[in-house]
mmCIF file of all heavy atoms in Angstrom:
data_model
loop_
_atom_site.group_PDB
_atom_site.id
_atom_site.type_symbol
_atom_site.label_atom_id
_atom_site.label_comp_id
_atom_site.label_asym_id
_atom_site.label_seq_id
_atom_site.Cartn_x
_atom_site.Cartn_y
_atom_site.Cartn_z
ATOM 1 N N ILE C 243 0.585 1.884 -27.906
ATOM 2 C CA ILE C 243 1.556 1.567 -28.892
ATOM 3 C C ILE C 243 2.273 0.299 -28.643
ATOM 4 O O ILE C 243 2.655 -0.498 -29.505
ATOM 5 C CB ILE C 243 2.478 2.781 -29.075
ATOM 6 C CG1 ILE C 243 1.624 3.941 -29.743
ATOM 7 C CG2 ILE C 243 3.659 2.422 -29.920
ATOM 8 C CD1 ILE C 243 1.016 3.707 -31.092
ATOM 9 N N SER C 244 2.583 0.073 -27.304
ATOM 10 C CA SER C 244 3.474 -1.103 -26.944
ATOM 11 C C SER C 244 2.614 -2.446 -27.209
ATOM 12 O O SER C 244 3.153 -3.473 -27.682
ATOM 13 C CB SER C 244 3.900 -1.150 -25.527
ATOM 14 O OG SER C 244 2.918 -1.373 -24.713
ATOM 15 N N VAL C 245 1.250 -2.407 -27.195
ATOM 16 C CA VAL C 245 0.398 -3.544 -27.550
ATOM 17 C C VAL C 245 0.549 -3.713 -29.026
ATOM 18 O O VAL C 245 0.800 -4.879 -29.521
ATOM 19 C CB VAL C 245 -1.147 -3.276 -27.186
ATOM 20 C CG1 VAL C 245 -1.940 -4.368 -27.838
ATOM 21 C CG2 VAL C 245 -1.106 -3.384 -25.622
ATOM 22 N N LEU C 246 0.489 -2.590 -29.828
ATOM 23 C CA LEU C 246 0.577 -2.672 -31.254
ATOM 24 C C LEU C 246 1.910 -3.293 -31.574
ATOM 25 O O LEU C 246 2.044 -4.171 -32.525
ATOM 26 C CB LEU C 246 0.348 -1.210 -31.801
ATOM 27 C CG LEU C 246 0.305 -1.250 -33.341
ATOM 28 C CD1 LEU C 246 -0.890 -1.977 -33.881
ATOM 29 C CD2 LEU C 246 0.285 0.266 -33.859
ATOM 30 N N TYR C 247 3.005 -2.861 -31.054
ATOM 31 C CA TYR C 247 4.371 -3.206 -31.387
ATOM 32 C C TYR C 247 4.389 -4.677 -30.979
ATOM 33 O O TYR C 247 4.980 -5.581 -31.874
ATOM 34 C CB TYR C 247 5.382 -2.416 -30.375
ATOM 35 C CG TYR C 247 6.824 -2.629 -30.813
ATOM 36 C CD1 TYR C 247 7.219 -2.050 -32.016
ATOM 37 C CD2 TYR C 247 7.544 -3.352 -30.026
ATOM 38 C CE1 TYR C 247 8.575 -2.197 -32.321
ATOM 39 C CE2 TYR C 247 8.936 -3.532 -30.302
ATOM 40 C CZ TYR C 247 9.425 -2.933 -31.433
ATOM 41 O OH TYR C 247 10.776 -3.105 -31.861
ATOM 42 N N ALA C 248 3.903 -5.108 -29.929
ATOM 43 C CA ALA C 248 3.983 -6.596 -29.456
ATOM 44 C C ALA C 248 3.334 -7.441 -30.495
ATOM 45 O O ALA C 248 3.854 -8.472 -30.755
ATOM 46 C CB ALA C 248 3.357 -6.802 -28.091
ATOM 47 N N ILE C 249 2.234 -6.977 -30.903
ATOM 48 C CA ILE C 249 1.422 -7.848 -31.965
ATOM 49 C C ILE C 249 2.223 -7.873 -33.287
ATOM 50 O O ILE C 249 2.288 -8.956 -33.802
ATOM 51 C CB ILE C 249 -0.015 -7.199 -32.126
ATOM 52 C CG1 ILE C 249 -0.826 -7.493 -30.951
ATOM 53 C CG2 ILE C 249 -0.704 -7.945 -33.305
ATOM 54 C CD1 ILE C 249 -2.215 -6.872 -30.849
ATOM 55 N N ILE C 250 2.705 -6.734 -33.646
ATOM 56 C CA ILE C 250 3.378 -6.756 -34.912
ATOM 57 C C ILE C 250 4.630 -7.645 -34.904
ATOM 58 O O ILE C 250 4.834 -8.516 -35.673
ATOM 59 C CB ILE C 250 3.912 -5.331 -35.273
ATOM 60 C CG1 ILE C 250 2.617 -4.411 -35.634
ATOM 61 C CG2 ILE C 250 4.913 -5.297 -36.390
ATOM 62 C CD1 ILE C 250 3.009 -2.983 -35.875
ATOM 63 N N LEU C 251 5.381 -7.588 -33.714
ATOM 64 C CA LEU C 251 6.556 -8.399 -33.515
ATOM 65 C C LEU C 251 6.174 -9.853 -33.507
ATOM 66 O O LEU C 251 6.827 -10.638 -34.275
ATOM 67 C CB LEU C 251 7.158 -8.000 -32.160
ATOM 68 C CG LEU C 251 8.562 -7.831 -32.054
ATOM 69 C CD1 LEU C 251 9.167 -6.688 -32.933
ATOM 70 C CD2 LEU C 251 8.986 -7.515 -30.492
ATOM 71 N N GLU C 252 5.343 -10.308 -32.625
ATOM 72 C CA GLU C 252 5.195 -11.663 -32.449
ATOM 73 C C GLU C 252 4.193 -12.354 -33.526
ATOM 74 O O GLU C 252 4.338 -13.464 -33.804
ATOM 75 C CB GLU C 252 4.404 -11.959 -31.055
ATOM 76 C CG GLU C 252 5.209 -11.472 -29.860
ATOM 77 C CD GLU C 252 6.413 -12.274 -29.615
ATOM 78 O OE1 GLU C 252 6.566 -13.305 -30.325
ATOM 79 O OE2 GLU C 252 7.285 -12.027 -28.642
ATOM 80 N N VAL C 253 3.297 -11.574 -34.104
ATOM 81 C CA VAL C 253 2.370 -12.223 -35.031
ATOM 82 C C VAL C 253 3.077 -12.079 -36.472
ATOM 83 O O VAL C 253 2.928 -12.936 -37.273
ATOM 84 C CB VAL C 253 1.015 -11.565 -34.909
ATOM 85 C CG1 VAL C 253 0.166 -12.057 -36.048
ATOM 86 C CG2 VAL C 253 0.327 -11.727 -33.548
ATOM 87 N N LEU C 254 3.548 -10.933 -36.810
ATOM 88 C CA LEU C 254 3.848 -10.615 -38.171
ATOM 89 C C LEU C 254 5.410 -10.952 -38.452
ATOM 90 O O LEU C 254 5.765 -11.637 -39.396
ATOM 91 C CB LEU C 254 3.633 -9.185 -38.594
ATOM 92 C CG LEU C 254 2.151 -8.785 -38.654
ATOM 93 C CD1 LEU C 254 1.980 -7.361 -39.129
ATOM 94 C CD2 LEU C 254 1.431 -9.759 -39.521
ATOM 95 N N ILE C 255 6.301 -10.538 -37.534
ATOM 96 C CA ILE C 255 7.663 -10.659 -37.679
ATOM 97 C C ILE C 255 8.109 -12.026 -37.224
ATOM 98 O O ILE C 255 8.770 -12.723 -38.076
ATOM 99 C CB ILE C 255 8.475 -9.547 -37.022
ATOM 100 C CG1 ILE C 255 7.947 -8.230 -37.706
ATOM 101 C CG2 ILE C 255 10.009 -9.737 -37.338
ATOM 102 C CD1 ILE C 255 8.644 -6.945 -37.123
ATOM 103 N N PHE C 256 8.020 -12.376 -35.892
ATOM 104 C CA PHE C 256 8.511 -13.708 -35.427
ATOM 105 C C PHE C 256 7.505 -14.815 -35.685
ATOM 106 O O PHE C 256 7.895 -15.893 -35.829
ATOM 107 C CB PHE C 256 8.615 -13.613 -33.947
ATOM 108 C CG PHE C 256 9.723 -12.632 -33.464
ATOM 109 C CD1 PHE C 256 9.536 -12.174 -32.031
ATOM 110 C CD2 PHE C 256 10.660 -12.074 -34.147
ATOM 111 C CE1 PHE C 256 10.453 -11.328 -31.685
ATOM 112 C CE2 PHE C 256 11.442 -11.215 -33.675
ATOM 113 C CZ PHE C 256 11.477 -10.734 -32.453
ATOM 114 N N ARG C 257 6.408 -14.595 -36.169
ATOM 115 C CA ARG C 257 5.272 -15.613 -36.381
ATOM 116 C C ARG C 257 5.245 -16.664 -35.277
ATOM 117 O O ARG C 257 5.051 -17.843 -35.492
ATOM 118 C CB ARG C 257 5.554 -16.227 -37.666
ATOM 119 C CG ARG C 257 5.399 -15.348 -38.859
ATOM 120 C CD ARG C 257 5.710 -15.807 -40.211
ATOM 121 N NE ARG C 257 5.615 -14.873 -41.201
ATOM 122 C CZ ARG C 257 4.477 -14.530 -41.819
ATOM 123 N NH1 ARG C 257 3.302 -15.090 -41.412
ATOM 124 N NH2 ARG C 257 4.464 -13.677 -42.864
ATOM 125 N N SER C 258 5.488 -16.164 -33.921
ATOM 126 C CA SER C 258 5.344 -17.143 -32.868
ATOM 127 C C SER C 258 4.018 -17.256 -32.370
ATOM 128 O O SER C 258 3.613 -18.080 -31.568
ATOM 129 C CB SER C 258 6.431 -16.647 -31.777
ATOM 130 O OG SER C 258 6.088 -15.452 -31.455
ATOM 131 N N ILE C 259 3.112 -16.304 -32.648
ATOM 132 C CA ILE C 259 1.738 -16.335 -32.209
ATOM 133 C C ILE C 259 0.758 -16.126 -33.410
ATOM 134 O O ILE C 259 1.136 -15.390 -34.252
ATOM 135 C CB ILE C 259 1.434 -15.214 -31.275
ATOM 136 C CG1 ILE C 259 2.273 -15.333 -29.921
ATOM 137 C CG2 ILE C 259 -0.037 -15.069 -30.846
ATOM 138 C CD1 ILE C 259 2.102 -14.161 -28.984
ATOM 139 N N LYS C 260 -0.320 -16.897 -33.467
ATOM 140 C CA LYS C 260 -1.281 -16.713 -34.422
ATOM 141 C C LYS C 260 -2.192 -15.656 -34.009
ATOM 142 O O LYS C 260 -2.537 -15.580 -32.785
ATOM 143 C CB LYS C 260 -2.062 -18.035 -34.711
ATOM 144 C CG LYS C 260 -1.222 -19.047 -35.467
ATOM 145 C CD LYS C 260 -2.122 -20.063 -36.076
ATOM 146 C CE LYS C 260 -1.341 -21.278 -36.494
ATOM 147 N NZ LYS C 260 -0.987 -22.150 -35.259
ATOM 148 N N ILE C 261 -2.724 -14.813 -34.965
ATOM 149 C CA ILE C 261 -3.735 -13.791 -34.594
ATOM 150 C C ILE C 261 -4.804 -14.387 -33.809
ATOM 151 O O ILE C 261 -5.488 -13.690 -33.008
ATOM 152 C CB ILE C 261 -4.097 -13.067 -35.871
ATOM 153 C CG1 ILE C 261 -4.857 -11.729 -35.343
ATOM 154 C CG2 ILE C 261 -5.001 -13.593 -36.735
ATOM 155 C CD1 ILE C 261 -3.967 -10.599 -35.002
ATOM 156 N N THR C 262 -5.280 -15.559 -34.149
ATOM 157 C CA THR C 262 -6.438 -16.215 -33.424
ATOM 158 C C THR C 262 -6.094 -16.479 -32.012
ATOM 159 O O THR C 262 -6.957 -16.835 -31.170
ATOM 160 C CB THR C 262 -6.751 -17.576 -34.166
ATOM 161 O OG1 THR C 262 -5.612 -18.286 -34.209
ATOM 162 C CG2 THR C 262 -7.440 -17.396 -35.489
ATOM 163 N N GLN C 263 -4.803 -16.450 -31.483
ATOM 164 C CA GLN C 263 -4.597 -16.722 -30.136
ATOM 165 C C GLN C 263 -4.689 -15.439 -29.296
ATOM 166 O O GLN C 263 -4.756 -15.477 -28.150
ATOM 167 C CB GLN C 263 -3.083 -17.056 -29.989
ATOM 168 C CG GLN C 263 -2.845 -18.634 -30.247
ATOM 169 C CD GLN C 263 -1.303 -18.905 -30.328
ATOM 170 O OE1 GLN C 263 -0.664 -18.724 -31.239
ATOM 171 N NE2 GLN C 263 -0.744 -19.296 -29.164
ATOM 172 N N ILE C 264 -4.816 -14.281 -29.991
ATOM 173 C CA ILE C 264 -4.851 -13.023 -29.226
ATOM 174 C C ILE C 264 -6.101 -12.960 -28.238
ATOM 175 O O ILE C 264 -5.901 -12.535 -27.172
ATOM 176 C CB ILE C 264 -4.949 -11.790 -30.262
ATOM 177 C CG1 ILE C 264 -3.617 -11.655 -31.038
ATOM 178 C CG2 ILE C 264 -5.208 -10.436 -29.516
ATOM 179 C CD1 ILE C 264 -2.489 -11.301 -30.285
ATOM 180 N N PRO C 265 -7.272 -13.405 -28.757
ATOM 181 C CA PRO C 265 -8.309 -13.236 -27.782
ATOM 182 C C PRO C 265 -8.050 -14.106 -26.436
ATOM 183 O O PRO C 265 -8.471 -13.663 -25.370
ATOM 184 C CB PRO C 265 -9.606 -13.901 -28.499
ATOM 185 C CG PRO C 265 -9.259 -13.765 -29.924
ATOM 186 C CD PRO C 265 -7.759 -13.819 -30.067
ATOM 187 N N SER C 266 -7.394 -15.251 -26.524
ATOM 188 C CA SER C 266 -7.219 -16.053 -25.245
ATOM 189 C C SER C 266 -6.181 -15.256 -24.381
ATOM 190 O O SER C 266 -6.178 -15.418 -23.262
ATOM 191 C CB SER C 266 -6.776 -17.431 -25.649
ATOM 192 O OG SER C 266 -5.497 -17.528 -25.927
ATOM 193 N N ILE C 267 -5.226 -14.590 -25.037
ATOM 194 C CA ILE C 267 -4.199 -13.929 -24.327
ATOM 195 C C ILE C 267 -4.963 -12.726 -23.628
ATOM 196 O O ILE C 267 -4.734 -12.376 -22.508
ATOM 197 C CB ILE C 267 -3.115 -13.373 -25.241
ATOM 198 C CG1 ILE C 267 -2.278 -14.628 -25.823
ATOM 199 C CG2 ILE C 267 -2.042 -12.509 -24.436
ATOM 200 C CD1 ILE C 267 -1.181 -14.279 -26.860
ATOM 201 N N ALA C 268 -5.936 -12.009 -24.343
ATOM 202 C CA ALA C 268 -6.609 -10.977 -23.922
ATOM 203 C C ALA C 268 -7.532 -11.393 -22.632
ATOM 204 O O ALA C 268 -7.543 -10.640 -21.573
ATOM 205 C CB ALA C 268 -7.501 -10.399 -24.898
ATOM 206 N N LEU C 269 -7.832 -12.662 -22.670
ATOM 207 C CA LEU C 269 -8.648 -13.249 -21.507
ATOM 208 C C LEU C 269 -7.749 -13.273 -20.244
ATOM 209 O O LEU C 269 -8.195 -12.797 -19.177
ATOM 210 C CB LEU C 269 -9.229 -14.599 -21.906
ATOM 211 C CG LEU C 269 -9.810 -15.244 -20.742
ATOM 212 C CD1 LEU C 269 -11.062 -14.634 -20.182
ATOM 213 C CD2 LEU C 269 -10.356 -16.712 -21.147
ATOM 214 N N SER C 270 -6.621 -13.795 -20.436
ATOM 215 C CA SER C 270 -5.699 -13.808 -19.277
ATOM 216 C C SER C 270 -5.421 -12.381 -18.713
ATOM 217 O O SER C 270 -5.239 -12.156 -17.585
ATOM 218 C CB SER C 270 -4.538 -14.656 -19.524
ATOM 219 O OG SER C 270 -3.539 -13.870 -20.243
#
Side-chain angles (χ1 to χ4, degrees):
Chain C
I243 290 300
S244 70
V245 170
L246 186 64
Y247 191 75
I249 291 176
I250 292 175
L251 220 60
E252 298 290 357
V253 177
L254 296 181
I255 299 178
F256 299 161
R257 294 178 183 279
S258 51
I259 296 179
K260 289 198 196 73
I261 192 84
T262 48
Q263 276 173 280
I264 295 291
S266 77
I267 299 174
L269 173 62
S270 79

